[in-house]
Amino acid sequence: MPKLPPPDPRLDQLRGGVPPKRHNARTIAALTTNPGCVRRAVLDTAGIDKDALARHLEFPAPFGQSSFAITRGNAFEAQLKADGCAELLTLLRETLDLDLTEVAYADLESVGDNVSENARNTYSEQRLAHGDENTLFDHPLLRLVVAGQSVYLEPDLVAFQHHGVYHVVEIKSFAVIDGQADPAKVAAAAIQSAVYVHALRQLLGRPEAVADEVVLVCPKDFSNRPVATKVDVRKQLLVLDHQLTRMDDVDTLLSALPAGLTLGLAPDPEGTPTRPVAELTASLGELSARYSPDCLGHCELGFFCRDEATGCTDALGTAVREQLGGVDTIAEALQLAQGTWAGDEHQAEVAAVLRTTARVFSESA
């Protein structure tokens, strides 16, 4: 395992001296949902606990899976992997056009009695780097360096197809009904799978050794019968690579921040935060945010940033923000539409569109 460089002391200062919060596949996937947000990039690079920040600011986010969903997901995965992944193999034959009657199965969830992350990761890397043809590798533990921290990732399964090409298999418990699944859930599964593809390519050192398409397996309709489909994650990989590279460039991210800036919560001996909320809010204000309604489902600070963006066109969504480029507030947009404010030369085109739209609505009312 390569030795990591020493952490930048400025990141420790930003955290207030507490250890960094470790990333996982879900948090890495969430990095790609708003790549233009400097605040999110800085917080995640420093490993700051955004959930703790949100709770102290009194804007907690209701994140996390229900116990029912977790139980259903575990049962569905166990069903697919029963009898050496017999049911899953049938799906893979159809989805990947395999002409195999049998495959080998390797359970990488533990190394004998040793279940430590280092041992599992070393064993997984050895088996995957010298993987046997036509072997299903179950729960390998992959390692990825994110902003100078080692992150361990555990895909549901990695299938080794014909001709030496790996396929990541992601098992989800949300249903595919009449051939359609919830687009938001499919998108979330795609980016999470892209994280695994990226980590596996880093391990092997050969991008072509891991397929751009992952296999997504879900229950069909309202039953436990599985259905599999291939999902192309090339777009997600490009965004992920950009964001991870950006987080590695600590100097660029931190150079514009005021000296001495900290987002620490100043916990007392019992761990209770003592940092004044107004002071913490002012410190967060030094980090440029790029709020959109999608943030509520992906970022722990989404509700705080929504409140901060009250009255701004950002709060109306990405599409509106792009159409009203250069118009920062809803009040300005209304003044342009009503003709009570001319704006500057850069807002002339937007002003014309808003006045035309307002006229059309007025005439049709």
Side-chain angles (χ1 to χ4, degrees):
M1 181 183 300
K3 187 176 181 180
L4 297 177
D8 192 305
R10 292 173 295 178
L11 299 179
D12 187 61
Q13 176 182 285
L14 271 174
R15 291 193 301 272
V18 301
K21 184 177 176 63
R22 295 182 62 179
H23 285 288
N24 55 43
R26 288 183 182 274
T27 63
I28 296 172
L31 300 177
T32 67
T33 57
N34 194 356
C37 183
V38 174
R39 178 179 292 172
R40 176 74 190 254
V42 170
L43 294 177
D44 286 326
T45 299
I48 291 173
D49 188 341
K50 297 190 298 297
D51 180 60
L53 280 183
R55 284 186 279 108
H56 187 55
L57 293 165
E58 299 183 353
F59 286 96
F63 278 4
Q65 284 183 295
S66 69
S67 57
F68 173 77
I70 292 173
T71 300
R72 185 170 188 266
N74 290 340
F76 183 61
E77 182 176 337
Q79 170 192 322
L80 288 168
K81 293 180 178 179
D83 301 320
C85 295
E87 192 167 16
L88 182 59
L89 177 58
T90 299
L91 288 173
L92 293 177
R93 285 198 196 101
E94 299 170 354
T95 308
L96 300 176
D97 296 323
L98 300 178
D99 57 358
L100 304 173
T101 56
E102 293 183 353
V103 298
Y105 172 77
D107 185 357
L108 304 182
E109 196 159 6
S110 63
V111 185
D113 294 329
N114 193 339
V115 294
S116 71
E117 289 183 328
N118 283 340
R120 285 190 57 202
N121 171 244
T122 300
Y123 182 59
S124 294
E125 289 189 352
Q126 290 172 347
R127 290 299 306 269
L128 291 168
H130 305 92
D132 302 322
E133 190 83 4
N134 308 326
T135 299
L136 297 178
F137 294 96
D138 192 1
H139 282 289
L141 197 67
L142 309 177
R143 176 177 175 267
L144 186 64
V145 176
V146 180
Q149 300 179 51
S150 284
V151 179
Y152 292 100
L153 310 168
E154 188 171 357
D156 293 328
L157 188 132
V158 175
F160 199 34
Q161 196 202 357
H162 269 329
H163 311 306
V165 179
Y166 279 106
H167 284 266
V168 170
V169 178
E170 184 68 7
I171 299 170
K172 293 295 184 184
S173 61
F174 59 81
V176 176
I177 301 173
D178 293 331
Q180 299 292 323
D182 184 328
K185 292 181 179 179
V186 173
I191 186 58
Q192 186 174 337
S193 299
V195 174
Y196 299 137
V197 171
H198 180 82
L200 188 54
R201 286 178 171 178
Q202 293 285 306
L203 184 159
L204 299 173
R206 294 180 297 114
E208 71 280 1
V210 187
D212 291 322
E213 291 181 316
V214 301
V215 180
L216 179 62
V217 182
C218 301
K220 183 178 181 180
D221 297 325
F222 298 99
S223 69
N224 274 336
R225 288 189 299 128
V227 61
T229 185
K230 290 187 288 187
V231 178
D232 192 324
V233 296
R234 282 176 293 183
K235 178 181 177 181
Q236 290 83 355
L237 284 166
L238 287 173
V239 178
L240 177 65
D241 184 67
H242 167 77
Q243 193 70 347
L244 292 177
T245 300
R246 183 187 187 197
M247 291 173 67
D248 286 336
D249 189 4
V250 175
D251 283 334
T252 300
L253 278 176
L254 303 185
S255 61
L257 301 184
L261 180 69
T262 179
L263 298 172
L265 300 181
D268 62 19
E270 284 73 40
T272 303
T274 64
R275 181 90 180 269
V277 170
E279 183 181 300
L280 180 60
T281 300
S283 294
L284 268 176
E286 299 288 349
L287 304 176
S288 173
R290 194 168 187 264
Y291 172 78
S292 73
D294 290 345
C295 296
L296 299 178
H298 300 289
C299 181
E300 292 88 339
L301 282 175
F303 289 89
F304 169 81
C305 294
R306 180 180 66 175
D307 182 76
E308 183 184 56
T310 300
C312 299
T313 53
D314 287 356
L316 301 178
T318 303
V320 174
R321 177 172 59 203
E322 291 175 351
Q323 290 176 6
L324 299 181
V327 181
D328 295 328
T329 69
I330 296 173
E332 289 177 348
L334 291 173
Q335 290 172 353
L336 289 172
Q338 295 163 356
T340 57
W341 179 53
D344 58 33
E345 59 180 331
H346 302 294
Q347 297 164 327
E349 184 176 346
V350 173
V353 172
L354 287 172
R355 285 194 291 270
T356 300
T357 303
R359 186 174 64 253
V360 170
F361 274 106
S362 176
E363 292 173 352
S364 61

